[in-house]
Amino acid sequence: MAADGSELLAAGAAAYERGDLVGAHRIFDDAARVTTGRIRLSAMINAASMADELGDRAHAAAAYRRALAELPDDETDLRTAALIDLSQALQHVGDLAGAGEVLGYARNLLERKPGEERRLLACLLSTTAVAIHRQAWREADEAAAQSLRVATAHAPDLAGHALLNLAAVAFETGRSAAAFDLAAQARDAFGDNEQAVAEVRQNLGLMYLRAGRPSDAEPELTASQVYFERAGVWERCAIAWKARGFLADAHERPADAAVWYRRSLDSFVVAGAELEAADVRIRLATTLFAAGDYAAGETALATARQVYVARGLGLRCAQLDYWHAALLEAAGDPTQLLRAVDLAVPAALAIDA
């Protein structure tokens, strides 16, 4: 049984390496049903990881918790791996506080055990991601820089992840040239890892779009979308569809943009990715206001704001309010101008602070 179980784990890993996430999930799920002991627990954790990558966030988080509940106290390797992976699933459903708590627990375990640099790196990468979601840029920059130091010294094959996080922080803090350079370094660092390169190209394309360079963005986004649709990585497909909406906006085709935003939103909602869904609702609201459908636009914004409020994301609330005020002003309804000012002034003060 042990040998057969090991072979199943190896087969699942091979499927993942060639980009067959659906096949890898099926193999790991089968292994979890027919094996026992440590192999079964490993299979459970791997199956949960595949569910997360395929966009089934709620199922993934529940599966991680089941595995953690069954893990013996002395299985620190599997426990830290499951905790770090659980933190990523919690991030995807918008539970940033839960993700931070889980990462703190994992880091405490790792710091008590030598030789765990690769897992410490994974922990630092997830810590960076949580800080980016919270828009805590100093914390994100410090965690990303530390993760790059660990990767360079102990896991150079994973340095691309740290570089991509540094690129994201640089872009969000107004250092666009550095961001593009870091993203290019990340792409080179990943070598022939197709999925990782596709993720870099998607992120790079989004940065180009936000920098007002749609002609540079389009080939990056198109190539990554082709890969993710072929591989069945639906969360990344949802990001790609959102990007298609951005491109349509850049080409002043709001009706086409709305179609892509709705497709992206539906996928995020099904996956339980509430933060991503909220972000798309804001973009969709912009197209709805442009089309004169103010009631639907207001509903989309209110729903997005509720998500941010529930997670204590005050800066995102302020940014949404400021954008809401701009939309009201652009709509040209004199009766809404006072409301726009009431939204804009406190939002601007919060953003400055």
Side-chain angles (χ1 to χ4, degrees), residues 80-81 84-85 87-88 91 103 106-111 113-130 140 142-166 189-190:
T80 52
I84 293 166
D85 288 348
S87 77
Q88 293 168 356
Q91 288 173 58
L103 286 168
R107 190 162 182 175
N108 285 337
L109 290 174
L110 289 167
E111 287 174 348
K113 188 175 181 182
E116 290 289 337
E117 288 81 7
R118 289 181 75 89
R119 282 209 176 89
L120 177 61
L121 173 59
C123 188
L124 289 168
L125 291 171
S126 287
T127 300
T128 307
V130 171
E142 290 173 355
Q146 185 180 355
S147 68
L148 182 59
R149 289 194 295 271
V150 173
T152 302
H154 302 285
D157 56 311
L158 300 177
H161 297 291
L163 288 163
L164 192 55
N165 278 341
L166 282 167
F190 283 126

Side-chain angles (χ1 to χ4, degrees), residues 31 36 59 74 109 199 253 286 324:
T36 58
H59 174 78
D74 60 350
L109 290 174
E199 290 178 10
R253 300 196 308 269
T286 303
H324 190 176

Side-chain angles (χ1 to χ4, degrees), residues 192-215:
D192 58 0
N193 183 331
E194 277 191 276
Q195 178 157 331
V197 169
E199 290 178 10
V200 174
R201 297 194 73 176
Q202 184 174 76
N203 290 339
L204 182 57
L206 290 169
M207 287 193 292
Y208 278 139
L209 264 183
R210 291 177 57 194
R213 297 167 57 179
S215 60

Side-chain angles (χ1 to χ4, degrees), residues 18-53:
R18 64 175 179 267
D20 182 8
L21 301 188
V22 175
H25 181 265
R26 184 179 61 254
I27 293 167
F28 289 134
D29 214 24
D30 288 344
R33 284 195 297 270
V34 302
T35 59
T36 58
R38 197 175 198 276
I39 288 179
R40 175 175 176 272
L41 292 167
S42 295
M44 290 173 67
I45 293 168
N46 287 338
S49 178
M50 294 302 99
D52 189 42
E53 289 207 40

Side-chain angles (χ1 to χ4, degrees), residues 172-198:
E172 296 295 347
T173 52
R175 294 171 288 143
S176 298
F180 295 136
D181 180 61
L182 287 162
Q185 290 181 50
R187 182 177 54 202
D188 293 342
F190 283 126
D192 58 0
N193 183 331
E194 277 191 276
Q195 178 157 331
V197 169

Side-chain angles (χ1 to χ4, degrees), residues 4 109 140 181 204 233 239 267 272 282 305-306 324 345:
D4 290 342
L109 290 174
D181 180 61
L204 182 57
V233 186
I239 296 173
S267 186
I282 296 171
R305 199 178 195 283
Q306 288 170 4
H324 190 176
V345 172

